[in-house]
Amino acid sequence: KQEVTQIPAALSVPEGENLVLNCSFTDSAIYNLQWFRQDPGKGLTSLLLIQSSQREQTSGRLNASLDKSSGRSTLYIAASQPGDSATYLCAPNTGNQFYFGTGTSLTVIP
Amino acid sequence: SQTIHQWPATLVQPVGSPLSLECTVEGTSNPNLYWYRQAAGRGLQLLFYSVGIGQISSEVPQNLSASRPQDRQFILSSKKLLLSDSGFYLCAWSDVGIYGYTFGSGTRLTVV
């Protein structure tokens, strides 16, 4: 079974900082990997989807990289804003299922 | 475009009462459908997934069951709720995973 670890579990940064969230997974035989954002009490919003053949994917201030062979993905957030405060989850897909880490809780301080 | 609907948004039920949560998807056919639960302070736990009508896979033994009576309808049920069933329930769909998951807005269930 896929095991997903996200580090750090929590992160607090001042506004404007660039930051990196880390995700590692045990089964490298994935089809793709998805990064989500979850606001308190809300559902999950998809941020980026990286196919297994891709190395990285960008959307605005977000950049996600994938090193499938080593079982790692990172989410880079540039010029963080208070509105980025949320929990970020990574989910590698090994077939019909995505497996989730417990997330990184991000707080951006104005 | 595809949309996913999940209801109700919140639910407070007494212990021992039945449960029925519904999820429907529009704008696609033969989606993979999923039910997840998120307990307070914990990660997402996959409960059930379905790759077609009447095809249900269960990830963990529990007090819950799922059914897929129609192609784009997924129902989560319980005959008798337990306190431990409280949590945030999320429905999701994917197009065989190629384009990732899309989640519904969730149901906050409190069993009292």
Side-chain angles (χ1 to χ4, degrees):
Chain A
K1 181 180 175 180
Q2 181 77 276
E3 299 287 337
V4 182
T5 303
Q6 289 190 245
I7 295 173
L11 185 62
S12 183
V13 299
E15 181 177 3
E17 274 204 8
N18 302 324
L19 52 100
V20 175
L21 309 181
N22 297 291
C23 170
S24 62
F25 45 95
T26 54
D27 184 353
S28 62
I30 64 171
Y31 289 87
N32 50 48
L33 183 144
Q34 198 165 0
W35 280 93
F36 293 89
R37 167 188 173 136
Q38 185 176 28
D39 293 289
K42 303 294 185 182
L44 276 65
T45 300
S46 179
L47 298 174
L48 291 163
L49 173 69
I50 311 177
Q51 300 297 338
S52 62
S53 58
Q54 297 177 313
R55 296 285 294 182
E56 64 179 57
Q57 193 70 257
T58 298
S59 176
R61 294 183 293 109
L62 305 178
N63 175 276
S65 66
L66 175 63
D67 185 343
K68 179 183 166 184
S69 60
S70 66
R72 296 178 187 275
S73 178
T74 62
L75 179 67
Y76 175 82
I77 302 177
S80 58
Q81 302 172 358
D84 294 330
S85 297
T87 296
Y88 291 81
L89 297 152
C90 76
N93 173 22
T94 52
N96 284 322
Q97 302 175 34
F98 283 78
Y99 291 89
F100 286 85
T102 51
T104 293
S105 177
L106 172 66
T107 302
V108 181
I109 303 166
Chain B
S1 64
Q2 302 91 354
T3 56
I4 180 169
H5 302 281
Q6 189 180 343
W7 67 92
T10 59
L11 194 59
V12 179
Q13 292 284 95
V15 168
S17 64
L19 173 73
S20 180
L21 303 181
E22 187 164 344
C23 173
T24 59
V25 180
E26 297 178 355
T28 187
S29 60
N30 198 31
N32 287 357
L33 296 172
Y34 307 83
W35 279 110
Y36 281 86
R37 177 171 60 198
Q38 189 175 38
R42 301 182 67 178
L44 282 158
Q45 180 186 36
L46 178 63
L47 302 175
F48 301 95
Y49 71 93
S50 171
V51 299
I53 295 174
Q55 300 179 60
I56 309 295
S57 296
S58 174
E59 282 293 291
V60 293
Q62 57 214 327
N63 186 40
L64 303 168
S65 62
S67 62
R68 185 170 177 173
Q70 301 180 42
D71 181 44
R72 289 167 289 177
Q73 184 185 31
F74 205 24
I75 298 172
L76 183 69
S77 304
S78 174
K79 293 182 179 179
K80 289 185 178 181
L81 283 169
L82 306 172
L83 287 174
S84 59
D85 293 323
S86 294
F88 191 47
Y89 289 81
L90 289 158
C91 178
W93 79 273
S94 74
D95 185 3
V96 298
I98 295 174
Y99 301 112
Y101 268 16
T102 299
F103 279 84
S105 54
T107 296
R108 174 76 57 190
L109 172 65
T110 304
V111 182
V112 297

